[in-house]
């Protein structure tokens, strides 16, 4: 994932953040915070994790069965930890972890680019089904411009570079699609359209790789393209930003034309602009999206081209050049239309001292978090898995509703009853089929439980006992002596919850 994969080298550049965390400064800064000391899990919160495939050599060494079991183990654990979405890297180098009509199988999947897995299977289709079975969304994460992280490694004959080398530029031994070329935008949009058409993805997700991270003393040689077609721009920086703007707008249009309910999200580098560069910038001193990567995130938000934004705020509270507190509130103030989720780096910064304040601040100004990477959560780095399970993700959370896409709630369920089945004492109900295919159709169901005469309050996530795609729930029957009230609500694809229907049972 962009800044993560190159983080160690990025900090060597003079243009990137300098300095280290001052313990004294961090403590002083902590005294100024306004986060809540007691954390209450919100009912609505994105809880996602990135699963990367680039540079992951272990996958290529696995058999199909071993890989499937590894994925199932990861999804089971994330489900147990109450995560509700997975961002899986399906296109790391203009290649594919799925059956693509346009690009070769990924070398990170099979060891050699263009070689299909044997026996043949489709990892993305498999993962979508398994995520949905567990009540989690699947966001197909693509790297838009990167064609090869290492240009020295041979590419498959069916790789776009092999067929159209004139589309690409070289920079620091990388192969990149030339953002200035319409042919490149057309191809990337075709890839997106292929994924959205053929797969039941919940979102298309892009990371922070736009124009390449600059290396001191190594300019990007695209002046000839600018001079040949400046399109009215007087300087190359504005022209480069417009190149990226065109791609973002066209991808957005591609998705909405094909499947309007599929969302489009981007996780940019954590700094938009520094205040020393622009008055509206943050009190930071580091690389800038707008000026160095030519990514005008706030324009994309203003124009409604993206549905969610996940800034990669991977620094510590009190960092001398990029303080987490400054950035989490800056983005919260400046993202106006899209959902705002915070990109959190588990290993570097989500330690036991900063986990609570970071999640508390995010809960104040954002609508959720995306953890980098999933493996660090699964490995329980710094005890983060234990803390999430015990305190922060102890209850289910529903993904915040995307009312700007479709605002109608599903109709109430019908025919709810409790009966004995082969699986045990089971709640069953009838979904509303009259709106099938419409945005208001029920996509999943939320089951709430209330003991005895406990007041029914579906706004409290502590009462959620299940989030399920199928219209049934197996009850935890004991001896049939204790009274419970269950409430079942339907939820649309856009996570808009309909009214609940209740039933009383004895367990």
């Amino acid at each position: 994932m962009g800044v993560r994969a190159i983080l160690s080298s990025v900090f060597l550049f003079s243009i990137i953040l300098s300095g280290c965390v001052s313990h004294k400064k961090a403590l002083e800064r902590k005294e100024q915070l306004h986060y809540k000391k007691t954390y209450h899990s919100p009912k609505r919160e994105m809880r996602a994790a990135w699963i990367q495939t680039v540079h992951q050599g272990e996958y290529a060494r696995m058999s199909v069965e071993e890989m499937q079991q590894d994925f199932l183990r990861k999804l089971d654990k994330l489900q147990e930890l109450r995560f509700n979405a997975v961002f899986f890297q399906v296109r790391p180098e203009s290649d594919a972890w799925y059956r693509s009509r346009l690009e070769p199988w990924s070398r990170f999947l099979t060891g050699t680019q263009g070689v299909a897995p044997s026996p043949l299977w489709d990892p993305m289709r498999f993962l979508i089904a398994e995520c949905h079975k567990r009540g989690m969304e699947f966001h197909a994460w693509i790297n838009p411009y990167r064609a090869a992280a290492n240009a020295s490694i041979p590419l498959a004959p069916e790789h776009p570079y092999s067929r159209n080398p004139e589309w690409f530029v070289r920079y620091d031994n990388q192969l990149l699609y030339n953002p200035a070329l319409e042919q490149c935008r057309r191809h990337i949009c075709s890839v997106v359209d292929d994924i959205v058409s053929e797969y039941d993805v919940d979102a298309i997700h892009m990371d922070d790789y736009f124009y390449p991270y600059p290396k001191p003393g190594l300019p990007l040689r695209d002046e000839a393209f600018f001079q040949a077609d400046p399109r009215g721009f007087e300087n190359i920086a504005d022209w480069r930003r417009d190149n990226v703007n065109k791609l973002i707008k066209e991808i957005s249009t591609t998705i909405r034309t094909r499947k309007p309910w599929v969302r489009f999200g981007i996780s940019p580098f954590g700094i938009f602009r520094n205040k020393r560069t622009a008055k509206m910038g943050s009190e930071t001193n580091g690389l800038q999206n707008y000026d160095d990567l030519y990514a005008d995130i706030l324009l994309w938000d203003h124009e409604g081209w993206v549905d969610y934004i996940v800034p990669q705020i991977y620094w510590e509270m009190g960092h001398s050049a990029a303080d987490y507190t400054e950035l989490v509130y800056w983005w919260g103030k400046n993202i106006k239309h899209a959902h705002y989720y915070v990109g959190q780096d588990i290993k570097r910064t989500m330690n036991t001292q900063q986990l609570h304040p970071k999640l508390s601040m995010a809960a104040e100004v954002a609508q959720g978090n995306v953890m980098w990477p999933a493996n660090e959560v699964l490995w329980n780095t710094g005890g983060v898995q234990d803390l999430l399970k015990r305190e922060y993700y102890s209850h289910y959370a529903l993904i915040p509703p995307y009312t700007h896409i479709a605002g109608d709630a599903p109709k109430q369920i019908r025919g709810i009853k409790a009966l004995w089945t082969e699986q045990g004492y089971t709640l069953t109900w009838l979904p509303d089929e009259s709106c099938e295919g419409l945005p208001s159709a029920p996509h999943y169901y939320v089951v709430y439980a209330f003991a005895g005469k406990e007041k029914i309050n579906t706004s409290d996530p502590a009462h959620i006992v299940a989030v399920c795609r199928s219209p049934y729930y197996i009850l935890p029957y004991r001896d049939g002596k204790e009274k419970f009230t269950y409430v079942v609500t339907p939820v649309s694809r856009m996570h808009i919850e309909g009214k609940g229907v209740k039933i009383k049972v004895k367990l």
Side-chain angles (χ1 to χ4, degrees):
M1 180 77 171
V3 67
R4 317 150 169 78
I6 60 171
L7 200 51
S8 59
S9 60
V10 163
F11 276 84
L12 297 176
F13 304 156
S14 59
I15 197 167
I16 308 298
L17 305 177
S18 59
C20 60
V21 176
S22 163
H23 182 63
K24 181 179 179 182
K25 178 180 271 189
L27 292 176
E28 290 173 352
R29 184 65 172 168
K30 192 173 181 179
E31 295 302 317
Q32 303 171 18
L33 300 180
H34 303 292
Y35 63 85
K36 295 177 181 178
K37 305 304 179 185
T38 303
Y39 187 87
H40 297 285
S41 297
K43 178 181 173 179
R44 294 285 188 170
E45 180 180 44
M46 172 63 82
R47 296 174 179 173
W50 279 289
I51 297 180
Q52 85 275 31
T53 57
V54 67
H55 305 314
Q56 297 298 108
E58 74 267 24
Y59 290 128
R61 294 191 294 269
M62 293 180 183
S63 67
V64 170
E65 183 179 2
E66 288 171 337
M67 196 181 305
Q68 290 178 347
Q69 290 304 312
D70 184 69
F71 286 145
L72 293 178
R73 176 186 59 81
K74 289 175 178 176
L75 295 183
D76 284 344
K77 177 55 71 173
L78 291 172
Q79 179 190 25
E80 178 188 330
L81 295 172
R82 312 291 199 213
F83 278 75
N84 52 29
V86 166
F87 292 11
F88 188 87
Q89 191 176 28
V90 301
R91 184 186 185 256
E93 291 186 319
S94 194
D95 52 8
W97 276 69
Y98 59 97
R99 298 186 72 166
S100 172
R101 297 183 297 104
L102 303 167
E103 297 181 323
W105 288 101
S106 176
R107 66 185 173 96
F108 301 111
L109 171 63
T110 64
T112 303
Q113 190 178 81
V115 173
S118 180
L120 186 64
W121 72 300
D122 189 322
M124 182 158 71
R125 196 173 299 280
F126 173 85
L127 284 162
I128 290 171
E130 294 298 333
C131 281
H132 289 173
K133 189 186 300 182
R134 291 163 176 77
M136 294 188 289
E137 286 198 331
F138 182 92
H139 293 223
W141 162 21
I142 69 171
N143 299 89
Y145 290 125
R146 185 172 63 203
N150 183 349
S152 303
I153 296 176
L155 299 174
E158 61 269 37
H159 190 279
Y161 178 80
S162 301
R163 300 193 300 264
N164 301 284
E166 70 279 5
W167 289 3
F168 298 84
V169 294
R170 285 178 180 259
Y171 185 81
D172 193 25
N173 202 36
Q174 302 174 74
L175 277 180
L176 309 167
Y177 282 89
N178 186 342
L181 298 182
E182 181 183 353
Q183 302 96 304
C184 294
R185 295 197 306 273
R186 192 182 306 126
H187 175 77
I188 295 167
C189 286
S190 295
V191 168
V192 170
D193 190 51
D194 187 34
I195 293 172
V196 174
S197 299
E198 298 297 324
Y199 296 87
D200 188 21
V201 297
D202 297 288
I204 293 293
H205 179 75
M206 282 171 38
D207 59 9
D208 52 317
Y209 276 124
F210 297 106
Y211 272 82
Y213 278 78
K215 186 172 183 179
L218 185 63
L220 179 65
R221 297 298 184 188
D222 60 348
E223 297 93 342
F225 295 96
F226 170 58
Q227 293 167 2
D229 186 20
R231 301 193 305 275
F233 290 100
E234 296 183 359
N235 66 74
I236 197 169
D238 289 338
W239 175 80
R240 285 173 174 170
R241 273 185 290 274
D242 187 63
N243 291 335
V244 181
N245 292 342
K246 285 177 178 290
L247 177 67
I248 300 303
K249 182 180 180 180
E250 290 170 14
I251 288 178
S252 179
T253 300
T254 298
I255 295 170
R256 282 153 175 71
T257 300
R258 179 63 64 181
K259 289 181 181 176
W261 60 86
V262 173
R263 279 150 285 140
F264 182 26
I266 292 179
S267 55
F269 183 74
I271 299 172
F272 181 67
R273 303 190 84 182
N274 301 308
K275 189 174 284 293
R276 60 181 171 81
T277 304
K279 190 175 181 180
M280 51 73 66
S282 54
E283 293 283 2
T284 50
N285 180 28
L287 180 140
Q288 305 167 99
N289 272 294
Y290 185 90
D291 303 88
D292 302 312
L293 304 179
Y294 306 101
D296 192 350
I297 317 298
L298 298 188
L299 174 69
W300 309 341
D301 176 49
H302 179 269
E303 295 295 332
W305 297 337
V306 293
D307 298 302
Y308 66 80
I309 298 171
V310 193
Q312 297 173 25
I313 309 179
Y314 289 170
W315 300 279
E316 301 86 350
M317 293 162 52
H319 194 286
S320 60
D323 173 52
Y324 175 93
T325 305
E326 165 70 15
L327 286 167
V328 78
Y329 284 109
W330 186 92
W331 285 102
K333 177 183 177 182
N334 287 280
I335 295 175
K336 303 293 188 182
H337 304 288
H339 282 200
Y340 166 35
Y341 310 137
V342 181
Q344 307 277 13
D345 185 307
I346 296 296
K347 186 174 182 179
R348 288 193 63 244
T349 70
M350 296 293 278
N351 52 51
T352 53
Q353 291 75 35
Q354 297 204 357
L355 180 66
H356 177 82
K358 282 190 168 187
L359 291 182
S360 297
M361 281 187 273
E364 287 181 29
V365 297
Q367 293 159 291
N369 300 276
V370 185
M371 305 296 186
W372 169 259
N375 274 344
E376 298 293 347
V377 176
L378 300 172
W379 294 334
N380 199 23
T381 299
V384 66
Q385 181 187 129
D386 295 335
L387 287 167
L388 289 176
K389 186 175 183 178
R390 185 173 65 246
E391 298 180 34
Y392 304 100
Y393 289 3
S394 58
H395 307 307
Y396 285 99
L398 307 186
I399 292 172
Y402 286 85
T403 53
H404 69 281
I405 298 177
D408 293 334
K411 294 179 182 179
Q412 286 179 304
I413 62 168
R414 298 175 294 109
I416 188 168
K417 54 188 174 183
L419 49 83
W420 286 96
T421 69
E422 293 180 357
Q423 289 76 33
Y425 198 34
T426 305
L427 276 186
T428 67
W429 56 88
L430 299 174
D432 177 31
E433 297 179 348
S434 65
C435 56
E436 188 172 349
L438 299 176
S440 59
H443 193 55
Y444 62 94
Y445 306 91
V446 183
V447 182
Y448 302 83
F450 303 88
K453 296 182 179 180
E454 195 172 16
K455 183 178 179 181
I456 293 177
N457 177 16
T458 56
S459 64
D460 183 356
H463 291 285
I464 299 176
V465 294
V467 175
C468 47
R469 292 285 178 119
S470 301
Y472 67 88
Y473 169 69
I474 300 173
L475 294 160
Y477 185 83
R478 292 187 287 274
D479 55 13
K481 297 179 179 180
E482 193 169 354
K483 295 179 179 179
F484 286 87
T485 299
Y486 279 82
V487 177
V488 179
T489 61
V491 187
S492 73
R493 271 187 177 272
M494 294 300 101
H495 305 287
I496 299 169
E497 189 174 22
K499 293 182 179 179
V501 173
K502 64 182 180 180
I503 183 173
K504 294 183 179 181
V505 297
K506 288 184 178 181
L507 302 177

